[in-house]
Amino acid sequence: MTELGNIILETRDLTKHYGGVHALEGADFTLRKGEHVAIMGDNGAGKSTFVRQITGVEQKTRGDIIFDGKPVNFTGPLDAREAGIEAVFQTLALADHLDVPDNLFLGREKTKWNWLGPFRRLDYKSMREDTLEALQKTGVKIPNIRNTIQNMSGGQRQCVAIARTATFHSKLTIMDEPTAALGVQETAQVENIIRTLKEQGEPLILISHNMRQVFDLMDRVVVFRRGRICANLDIRNEDITGEDVVAYITGAKTQPEYEDAA
Amino acid sequence: MTELGNIILETRDLTKHYGGVHALEGADFTLRKGEHVAIMGDNGAGKSTFVRQITGVEQKTRGDIIFDGKPVNFTGPLDAREAGIEAVFQTLALADHLDVPDNLFLGREKTKWNWLGPFRRLDYKSMREDTLEALQKTGVKIPNIRNTIQNMSGGQRQCVAIARTATFHSKLTIMDEPTAALGVQETAQVENIIRTLKEQGEPLILISHNMRQVFDLMDRVVVFRRGRICANLDIRNEDITGEDVVAYITGAKTQPEYEDAA
Amino acid sequence: MSKTDHGVGGLTYDKSKKGWPNEVNIFAALILIILIFEALGQFLPYMNDQSFLFDTNGRFDTIFNEARLKIIILQVAIIGIISLGVTQVIISGGIDLSSGPLVGAAAMIVMSFAQTELVNGNPNPKAVFGDWAFDLPVIVPVIVGLCFGAFIGAINGSLIAFTRIPPFIATLGMFLICRGIAQWWTKGQPVSFPTESFAALGSGMMPVVWFALLAVLFHLVLRYTLYGKHTYAIGSNEDAARMSGINVKRHKVLVYMIASMLAAFAAIILSSKNLTAQTGMGQFYELFAIAMAVIGGVSLTGGRGSIIGTVLGAMVFGVIQSGFTYIKLDAFYQLMAMGAIIISAVVLDQWRQQRGSSRN
Amino acid sequence: MSKTDHGVGGLTYDKSKKGWPNEVNIFAALILIILIFEALGQFLPYMNDQSFLFDTNGRFDTIFNEARLKIIILQVAIIGIISLGVTQVIISGGIDLSSGPLVGAAAMIVMSFAQTELVNGNPNPKAVFGDWAFDLPVIVPVIVGLCFGAFIGAINGSLIAFTRIPPFIATLGMFLICRGIAQWWTKGQPVSFPTESFAALGSGMMPVVWFALLAVLFHLVLRYTLYGKHTYAIGSNEDAARMSGINVKRHKVLVYMIASMLAAFAAIILSSKNLTAQTGMGQFYELFAIAMAVIGGVSLTGGRGSIIGTVLGAMVFGVIQSGFTYIKLDAFYQLMAMGAIIISAVVLDQWRQQRGSSRN
Amino acid sequence: ETIGVSIARFDDNFLTVMRNGMEDYAGGIDGVDLQVEDAVDDVAKQLDQINNFIASGVDAIIVNAVDTSATEAMSQAAASANVPLVYVNREPVNVDTLPDNQAFVASNEIESGTLAAFEACKMLRAAGHAGGAKGYMLMGQLSNQAAVQRSKDVEDVIGMDMCNFITLIDKQTAEWSRDKAQDLMTNWLSSGEEFQVVFANNDEMAIGAIQAMKASGVSMEDVVVVGVDATQDALVAMQAGDLDATVFQDAAGQGQGSVDAALSLARGEDVEQKVYIPFKLVTPANIDDFLSKN
Ligand SMILES: Nc1ncnc2c1ncn2[C@@H]1O[C@H](COP(=O)(O)OP(=O)(O)OP(=O)(O)O)[C@@H](O)[C@H]1O
Ligand SMILES: Nc1ncnc2c1ncn2[C@@H]1O[C@H](COP(=O)(O)OP(=O)(O)OP(=O)(O)O)[C@@H](O)[C@H]1O
Ligand SMILES: [Mg+2]
Ligand SMILES: [Mg+2]
């Protein structure tokens, strides 16, 4: 697991305190190229906090992040994206008053007349076409993509956020509970998207509470408990069941390496 | 299913159009006292829209709602709550800057010195104690309930919203995807809450994408497709499998009574 | 997972690191500003070693410069009273631009019911009504003023609650209407010469007394009553408040009524203090009342703030104004410095808050 | 689930019922107000059957009263130019209170570089600088003015973007600072007597020409460019915009710079039109610029609005002001009526919007 | 010595000339410091400024009252702290009961509007309009006393037998501003009614009206325009034959007089408690006397 050059993301002693709340304590985490890892854990265990530190949405309290071989210190999500990290956040990050294509291409619009700098022209038509295609992939149904996002259902919003991430290639994809609000069919489609990423060798971090999904799709499970990592389970190769994972989540079990994570 | 006096909620031809979007078309729905019914359907099928019409959050385009034997016309959610309908909305409806007890008791605070009218005194201590108790029921872990809701994780927020509904008795409880963001343990706890309601004979409408949950807990499944009801399945008594339900959701099957819901 | 006083388990929670309340920052800023003025007094060559707050000339019996201490609070007491109401409006997610012109209109109306018959033995040269309106008991103008305030506030609140137009527009409209009323009342003529009992309401340090009393009252109301909680809830998430069964419309009307009644009360004290009412009174008060609240930590997006903060915000203004005269700053530089200080005070506060939870 | 032009299936979508754009309402309100004035002209006894918009005296060659049509737009063109910038600021989720005082300060500065040497054959009695500053080419004052605007806007924008203080406070501080600058520049003395080429910039109907040109330009910019899209995105959900990788800080600085440059340009046109610059110029312009935008459908919570709406909002003001003079309304009633009309216009608009999606 | 000065409004052209007169004059005397503050037309603020001056221990205070009926409270505040007080430019209501160490140097506002309006009346008669003349009046901000007073003066003049041939078509406020006056005049012009006279509460509005009329092609020969203040811009307009009359008030002189009075009071010397400075009518006939004054 420590073959140098083979690791896309590594965190060392990553810690985040909100005032007196210790939301994340000394997280040591590694992700190899092409690997798909699930993060599981109770509500409030610090999973999203972990993601927010990696993507530069918040500033860490202490610790190091090494991405693609280089120590990084993202000052904002813009930095992280430029470095090649794409994320679907739990809060979705959509602009309520814009329509679907606008949201899908937010921050990397297709433009014409690029010599005009910030005043360059938007290529609405092409963005609209690409949007329809991207949405097909997620299987969601949206009667009118020109409607504003605020008028979309919970699942439709989530699918737009996922389509956004899936449309653009990246060095690392992070999805924070992407299928939470999705229906049966849409969930199946999103799982297909994840499989495609696996085939293409793109690494992925998936946060999910869905045991079946994790066992179907992922290579490895990292369990968070009370702000600390308490288990690192190679579900592809070792003999691990859902009950084992639940035991780690609830605290009935802890791996020896992580004993201090009482 | 039509024994008079035995029906707590009935809708006739309930319809909602948003501009040109026909989000809900002619929904005829009945719920008997003590019955637990699941609503399932694709993303954007109109499930939440249906709930918003019943609870008075929005004004219906046409149709009738008969609640507890009387035709009702709620002008706002206040009316619905006063009539005895409690709901966990998909958008949760929490006040971001208030803490957990404040949110739990929002709109029905415990007060002292009630002769002071709107200026009566809040009984913070007693609300705090009750909050701790209510949260235990959902199994969620919150390190500091005096923290504001905006700083809570997705699952913590959802648990607060559920605790709120579960704490107060009502004639009808509606939950719109209550366990979407919840972890394994918390989901189990919320399912326990639903079981308790069933034992107490309180009727419930549950919107969920989780087939296992629906088959474990519910008496009946109503399927929405493209804004219309397309199936009404008595899963307790008839021989119906998850695959059948999925077939109705995707449109592979439609019950004869609902044929016009192409 | 043990049941404690503050939570139901989960993460480690270190209570000692809770971070101090917001108001402490503003207080620190206040002290800082005072120290700067003291230092300027020592170092500026033309100041002759004067002190800002202390009595270096032996003019008073105390070690402090009493006159300074008094005027610091006195000059902001009246806008401070308005700011108490504005604070509530902003916490509820609204804004009130009409308070300044309302002061003008209310002062005109109030004063015309508070006139005395004889001025230095001559008939009152500014009489608005006939004989019947002279020398009325002091309660009459006060009640008239408060009713006028309540009326304007009820209109503001109803417009905002029922037609759901933005508060900015409703109160901007009312801004113009109130200015119109003020000028129309006597066709622009000032109204002067109140009865002695009316003059007593705002004489000497009375404005400060009223400000203090009202601040304590509304501090308790916002912190410990249902009204307060609902005000915060509506400002934090109006939809949530509505879905939770709070009667948002009625509550908004109440908030705007209270704010306008406070502004009307400020008008009573103001006209009593000045022994006159004129149509231009209260100009820009709405902006300063809002600025005081915001400097005091009230968030313009609603849901956050406190009366203590607003009172401290008012004190910041008082200190600045007095300090400028003290260091003999030219009027133009005063304006620029005031602008700079308002900005810096809020920047300081923002910066402190962000350290706690440093999202980017 | 067939692939159509407007969606990927799901519900029935009836394209014909889409609801007309927001701007149509404001246009309707405008027509309504005009009709009311026409009707008043017919029915008020003292109006002698005059017409508001039509030429009943045969003074012009057209059927319209040309002079009236011109003044309706002319009198709002300058605030209208400011409003174009304010619209962008508000759409981005901010507010700009400093535009009014900025007009005053910019006018003073600009005019002192636009002075002519000889007035009626005598030396210019209002000279600000020495001989070198007389009769400069017209481009000099224009550039100076725009640079000043850009500078103030950059400060506004940087404060808001980098220190994250509320725009209300940053621009309120700048409000005071700009007033200070205006008064300090010449210690309060007006600056007059510009060169002829400078005077030509704002003479006659030129303000309207500028307004129209700028309105078209910024309509295109907001609607069809990256700048426009990002402005809407930031106003709609700043966090989302940031997480999507938009450089929110840089964009905000740009928005405030453009707004302040438009205000400075308005100052150039205004001082040219009046042939003078005075410290008090631009008072309340910020409020009216905001009001025009809001009447035109720009949402103060950000993310919604259009330049077309703002232009129509400006026209509403123009019609009201002309209409009041036309029916010879007293000044106080004008204020009250103006307040009432602003409120009603927005109420009307709100009411129409709510019918579409009638959440309660 | 330090003298605290509170001016009603810094944005006012006339008061600016007065203020600069004071500052120039005091700057020429050794050891005299002026601390000038802007009351931004707010009575309450002015009272606070006086109290701030008292707290800072100034030797004397000069007040240009925002509202002359609010001077009672100011006199009380200064008297109780035993600081000398001088009112300038605007006559306080309590002028007859001023304490010993208070004085005023002022003009009687009634004169200004009356002088201008009466001159207009005479000019119209001379031009043969005695049979009837119509006019407009541009007023200052109605919250300002000078505006209210000057407008009333005009109404009083056209109420006199000699001038009652003049009727006002309309009167509106242009808030002292040239820009608003331009727009207002253009609006009036668009109704197409004939008129022979324009009364303006100050010169700025008169100039605005003139600019609007010229832009619409009205001949300035046919219309009598009068203002108040005799500002430089106005005198230039008069030289060009556009403005017909204005009223001069010795702003700088008033400023100097008030500083002198304040210094004398501070040194415990005797001063005259009331000093009236009269207004003077300015017409093309005597314009040369005033060209270098304001
Ligand atoms: N800004 C903040 N200030 C204070 N506490 C915070 C803040 N953000 C998060 N927390 C706390 O940190 C803890 C971890 O939150 P986080 O969102 O990482 O949980 P999570 O593991 O993602 O849970 P879920 O599965 O419910 O999404 C929670 O207890 C939450 O209350
Ligand atoms: N205010 C609105 N204006 C326009 N369209 C709307 C509005 N609200 C909802 N819709 C549309 O109505 C449809 C139904 O939405 P609804 O929220 O009821 O879906 P849902 O069945 O709850 O889906 P999910 O499972 O994703 O929550 C969606 O296509 C949505 O885009
Ligand atoms: Mg999470
Ligand atoms: Mg839903």
Side-chain angles (χ1 to χ4, degrees), chain D residues 91-108:
Chain D
I91 290 177
S92 84
I95 198 147
D96 188 357
L97 296 179
S98 67
S99 56
L102 172 59
V103 166
M108 297 295 284

Side-chain angles (χ1 to χ4, degrees), chain A residues 18 23 43-49 90 177 209, chain B residues 151 153 155-156, chain C residues 11:
Chain A
Y18 298 105
N43 290 126
K47 305 180 295 298
S48 299
T49 305
Q90 199 168 9
E177 307 192 20
H209 294 298
Chain B
N151 294 336
S153 81
Q156 288 169 334
Chain C
L11 306 173

Side-chain angles (χ1 to χ4, degrees), chain E residues 41-180:
Chain E
D41 254 347
D42 180 346
V43 239
K45 180 151 190 173
Q46 191 155 47
L47 190 53
D48 292 336
Q49 280 169 348
I50 290 165
N51 279 319
N52 266 314
F53 287 142
I54 293 170
S56 288
V58 297
D59 300 290
I61 298 171
I62 300 176
V63 173
N64 165 234
V66 168
D67 175 356
T68 52
S69 43
T71 49
E72 191 82 57
M74 299 177 200
S75 286
Q76 281 173 20
S80 61
N82 205 19
V83 179
L85 180 72
V86 178
Y87 293 102
V88 66
N89 180 247
R90 296 179 183 172
E91 180 186 308
V93 266
N94 56 339
V95 58
D96 294 320
T97 55
L98 285 183
D100 278 345
N101 62 348
Q102 301 190 358
F104 86 102
V105 179
S107 308
N108 190 345
E109 193 58 71
I110 296 179
E111 287 175 22
S112 63
T114 312
L115 276 174
F118 194 65
E119 181 63 19
C121 165
K122 286 199 295 192
M123 287 177 171
L124 288 169
R125 277 184 169 278
H129 290 299
K134 287 180 170 179
Y136 288 113
M137 175 156 68
L138 296 131
M139 304 185 290
Q141 248 143 0
L142 290 181
S143 56
N144 184 288
Q145 262 206 331
V148 176
Q149 186 60 51
R150 289 175 191 177
S151 305
K152 187 166 171 297
D153 294 346
V154 173
E155 308 244 15
D156 287 348
V157 167
I158 62 178
M160 300 186 333
D161 286 346
M162 192 187 146
C163 300
N164 63 8
F165 64 92
I166 305 172
T167 50
L168 285 183
I169 304 171
D170 194 9
K171 54 178 183 186
Q172 297 285 0
T173 173
E175 297 172 14
W176 299 127
S177 120
R178 196 187 287 195
D179 186 49
K180 296 236 169 61

Side-chain angles (χ1 to χ4, degrees), chain D residues 19 47 73 76 107 138 153 194 196 206 211 261 274 320 357:
Chain D
M47 291 298 297
I73 316 181
V76 291
V138 63
E196 265 177 43
M206 282 306 287
F211 180 41
M261 283 171 77
N274 290 305
I320 295 175
S357 143

